[in-house]
Amino acid sequence: MKTNKTMIMAINFPFCLQEENHAHPFQILGDSQIKMNYLEALSRELHSTAEDFQDVAFTAVKLTGYPTIMNADKVGELLHQIRQEYHLTEFCEVSIETLPNTVCVPLLSGLSQGKPTRFQLQIHSLQPKELLTLKVPYTLPDIQNSVLFLDKFRVNNVSLTLDLGIPGQTFVSLKRTLRSCLELEPDHLMLRPYLSVQQQADQKLQQRMLNSTDEYLKEQGWVNYAPGFYCKKECHDQFLSQLWTQGEVVGFGLDAYSCFDGYQYRNTRDLASYISGADDCQQLIENPQALSSEEKQLRQLRGQLLLDQQPAAEGYAESVQKEINSFIKQGYIEELDGKLSLTKDGKGAFWISLSHEAYY
């Protein structure tokens, strides 16, 4: 099939097992029938939109939120549908955000028909006291068992997501978590600043923890390819890397974010409206906004800085150049031989800003 452009795709699953003690863009509770209705609506939305993307090759697909609390067979069917109705490149990364207590043989068997290539385990911490503080619906043994299950199913791209700055977390407990993480032999690590809806985060402490993590993981042979992102076997997060550099993504599901052809928008957050209107994606869109050329340029620059691609120091629109000068003045960006890169403080500041974004 001849394609004219490449993009990435996100499928949003906002259902959760329980309300959690950390900030999340949007999450809802629902019984098994509502979840099945949602999966059917997702299938209809994907089918109704497929024809609009026949000239697009998708290089990364990500199931975000809590997809593994849904019916595994139906989620696997949904992935299979995407592979049938959309053009995925040969090495397309199909990634699933995963809760450790949901990983079991039935889950992995159900998902297998959709051929996922990457599992992103949301573990937050490997310290029992910190997991209790977060009130997550799983325990340390659940995390350890989930990694064993993934290994038995020969999943060769496993990412672990940790939080920095959890209430009560210390540099000692963080190092214990990092050591335990490396013993699990993941392919990728993602570090996020802890966000709480109940209290103000200590961003300076979080940035110091990030710097400490950088030093420790580099000593262990890990590559830091973006603020808070580490790999050892070239297993970069292709979805986020391409979102930052290309800026275009099509999102499906409740509250899903999309940005392409110069516009950005979100789907509705109203569950009833989504389920009833999934056959016509135009009914789901809320508040579409056109992106200015300056905003596109600034997003691309930011992505290049995050991935340390050392973009040129000149040649930008006036407003973008002012933004660059402001970052240089604050000590977040430095210029060397006509190229821009993030300083140590800049990496921390950009890492914090990522956590406040409402899209992926």
Side-chain angles (χ1 to χ4, degrees):
M1 177 184 294
K2 184 179 180 180
T3 55
N4 298 323
K5 64 182 296 186
T6 59
M7 283 181 62
I8 59 175
M9 179 190 301
I11 319 293
N12 194 28
F13 293 83
F15 290 92
C16 59
L17 292 174
Q18 63 184 47
E19 293 184 6
E20 299 178 6
N21 188 31
H22 59 90
H24 191 279
F26 177 60
Q27 56 182 234
I28 56 176
L29 299 170
D31 60 30
S32 58
Q33 186 57 57
I34 291 176
K35 292 174 184 176
M36 289 296 289
N37 292 344
Y38 182 71
L39 286 168
E40 291 170 0
L42 269 175
S43 177
R44 300 197 327 265
E45 185 191 5
L46 283 159
H47 180 71
S48 68
T49 311
E51 189 173 344
D52 297 335
F53 294 94
Q54 288 307 297
D55 64 340
V56 174
F58 287 91
T59 55
V61 176
K62 188 171 186 177
L63 275 59
T64 68
Y66 303 89
T68 58
I69 72 170
M70 313 294 276
N71 182 289
D73 291 331
K74 292 296 183 182
V75 175
E77 289 175 11
L78 200 71
L79 280 175
H80 180 71
Q81 176 186 345
I82 292 171
R83 290 188 177 277
Q84 293 294 112
E85 298 185 349
Y86 292 81
H87 176 55
L88 274 56
T89 60
E90 182 180 0
F91 299 105
C92 176
E93 176 190 271
V94 180
S95 178
I96 301 180
E97 293 189 347
T98 312
L99 288 178
N101 57 316
T102 63
V103 179
C104 57
V105 171
L107 174 82
L108 297 174
S109 298
L111 294 176
S112 63
Q113 61 183 307
K115 300 178 181 177
T117 63
R118 183 174 186 270
F119 283 79
Q120 185 172 318
L121 283 173
Q122 313 285 354
I123 66 174
H124 301 293
S125 172
L126 284 172
Q127 300 304 304
K129 287 185 178 180
E130 292 170 8
L131 293 175
L132 286 172
T133 297
L134 295 174
K135 298 180 180 178
V136 294
Y138 50 83
T139 62
L140 180 57
D142 290 327
I143 296 172
Q144 295 166 331
N145 289 335
S146 67
V147 174
L148 291 175
F149 272 119
L150 290 171
D151 183 60
K152 286 182 179 180
F153 270 71
R154 298 181 180 178
V155 176
N156 58 9
N157 193 343
V158 176
S159 177
L160 303 182
T161 302
L162 300 172
D163 287 2
L164 302 188
I166 298 168
Q169 186 179 52
T170 65
F171 284 89
V172 173
S173 69
L174 172 59
K175 194 162 187 179
R176 286 175 182 162
T177 286
L178 292 172
R179 285 174 176 166
S180 298
C181 273
L182 299 192
E183 289 174 1
L184 296 175
E185 298 184 340
D187 303 286
H188 186 276
L189 287 175
M190 176 180 173
L191 281 295
R192 303 180 305 187
Y194 169 76
L195 295 176
S196 173
V197 294
Q198 300 174 347
Q199 63 188 66
Q200 188 75 22
D202 186 340
Q203 294 185 357
K204 290 185 177 180
L205 174 62
Q206 289 174 332
Q207 291 187 43
R208 283 167 46 214
M209 285 185 163
L210 179 66
N211 293 336
S212 176
T213 299
D214 276 347
E215 294 173 4
Y216 177 71
L217 291 178
K218 286 176 182 177
E219 289 173 359
Q220 306 304 312
W222 286 70
V223 176
N224 175 214
Y225 68 92
F229 289 76
Y230 307 84
C231 67
K232 202 169 186 179
K233 300 178 182 178
E234 298 300 322
C235 293
H236 292 195
D237 186 316
Q238 294 299 323
F239 178 88
L240 286 177
S241 295
Q242 293 174 49
L243 177 64
W244 295 338
T245 53
Q246 297 177 10
E248 292 199 323
V249 57
V250 55
F252 296 97
L254 207 62
D255 194 43
Y257 171 81
S258 295
C259 182
F260 58 91
D261 292 343
Y263 285 86
Q264 65 176 359
Y265 61 85
R266 281 193 174 277
N267 280 356
T268 179
R269 281 189 172 186
D270 184 271
L271 180 59
S273 297
Y274 176 76
I275 291 175
S276 64
D279 294 296
D280 183 0
C281 62
Q282 296 299 318
Q283 294 184 29
L284 307 178
I285 295 173
E286 293 187 348
N287 194 28
Q289 298 177 345
L291 293 175
S292 67
S293 58
E294 289 83 359
E295 188 168 3
K296 292 178 186 177
Q297 198 175 69
L298 188 59
R299 288 188 179 198
Q300 183 180 36
L301 171 66
R302 180 169 169 267
Q304 291 172 333
L305 288 168
L306 284 168
L307 294 168
D308 196 25
Q309 295 180 348
Q310 298 186 337
E314 298 180 349
Y316 303 98
E318 183 179 354
S319 61
V320 177
Q321 197 67 55
K322 285 183 179 179
E323 191 81 10
I324 293 172
N325 294 339
S326 174
F327 282 134
I328 291 175
K329 188 175 182 180
Q330 294 175 72
Y332 294 156
I333 293 177
E334 60 185 0
E335 178 185 347
L336 182 63
D337 298 329
K339 302 291 184 179
L340 299 174
S341 59
L342 294 176
T343 64
K344 189 174 183 179
D345 288 342
K347 288 181 179 179
F350 274 56
W351 175 66
I352 293 288
S353 72
L354 286 174
S355 65
H356 293 282
E357 289 181 349
Y359 53 91
Y360 315 119

